[in-house]
């Protein structure tokens, strides 16, 4: 995918979002979206993708540590499929194992020590980690 990309850490209560530049160098977190339904999330993410002029979306695929799929994997796949239909954009799924742990560690390193503050930011930071991982994995050598 060429151009700006939107990264998504899909959840049933919160959706983390991040965007990268058109050169695919750096992912930057966006505000967390608090949702009531998958449909609301799909519409919101499609709108953000349009506003950010994204050319594609990378959705985190939550796998078990052994690489097998979970119930949440199916939800993420359904979300990604429907987001593609609504937004008209290409959607990629990217393994998100341990991204929330990494995101929490990054927030701690940034000096955000209060758990309540980290909880407000961790989903968007996880989306940043997902998107940055996708970018780094797909660099042309």
């Amino acid at each position: 995918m060429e151009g700006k990309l939107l990264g998504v850490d899909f959840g049933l209560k919160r959706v983390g979002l991040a965007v990268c530049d058109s050169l695919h160098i750096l992912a930057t977190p966006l505000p967390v979206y608090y949702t009531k339904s998958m449909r609301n999330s799909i519409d919101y993410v499609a709108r953000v993708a349009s506003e950010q002029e994204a050319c594609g979306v990378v959705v985190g695929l939550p796998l078990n540590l052994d690489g097998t799929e979970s119930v949440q994997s199916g939800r993420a796949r359904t979300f990604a499929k429907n987001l593609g239909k609504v937004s008209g954009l290409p959607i990629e799924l990217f393994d998100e194992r341990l991204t929330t742990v990494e995101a929490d560690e990054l927030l701690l390193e940034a000096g955000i020590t209060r758990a309540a503050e980290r909880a407000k930011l961790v989903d968007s930071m996880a989306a940043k980690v997902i998107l940055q991982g996708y970018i780094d994995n797909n660099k042309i050598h």
Side-chain angles (χ1 to χ4, degrees):
M1 289 188 277
E2 292 185 22
K4 290 171 76 173
L5 300 174
L6 189 69
V8 181
D9 180 34
F10 172 73
L12 297 177
K13 295 180 182 174
R14 294 179 311 270
V15 178
L17 299 168
V19 67
C20 76
D21 57 287
S22 59
L23 297 176
H24 297 188
I25 295 171
L26 184 63
T28 305
L30 297 172
V32 171
Y33 176 64
Y34 293 87
T35 184
K36 291 183 172 48
S37 71
M38 185 181 291
R39 182 66 213 199
N40 285 7
S41 297
I42 291 165
D43 291 342
Y44 181 79
V45 173
R47 187 167 63 250
V48 170
S50 176
E51 290 168 359
Q52 292 290 331
E53 299 178 349
C55 298
V57 181
V58 178
V59 176
L61 180 63
L63 299 172
N64 294 317
L65 288 178
D66 65 3
T68 59
E69 296 218 2
S70 65
V71 172
Q72 190 62 10
S73 302
R75 290 182 183 126
R77 285 185 182 282
T78 299
F79 171 82
K81 179 181 173 187
N82 290 316
L83 177 60
K85 288 178 184 175
V86 170
S87 69
L89 295 172
I91 310 293
E92 293 277 343
L93 291 165
F94 188 75
D95 181 357
E96 70 167 46
R97 279 179 283 183
L98 301 177
T99 55
T100 301
V101 173
E102 185 178 341
D104 199 50
E105 289 172 359
L106 288 170
L107 291 169
L108 280 170
E109 287 173 15
I112 302 169
T113 55
R114 291 186 51 223
E117 287 301 309
R118 286 196 320 276
K120 292 178 187 174
L121 302 171
V122 74
D123 297 295
S124 285
M125 189 60 77
K128 175 199 181 313
V129 171
I130 290 164
L131 184 54
Q132 192 67 53
Y134 176 86
I135 290 167
D136 294 345
N137 244 18
N138 291 287
K139 289 222 185 288
I140 299 170
H141 302 301

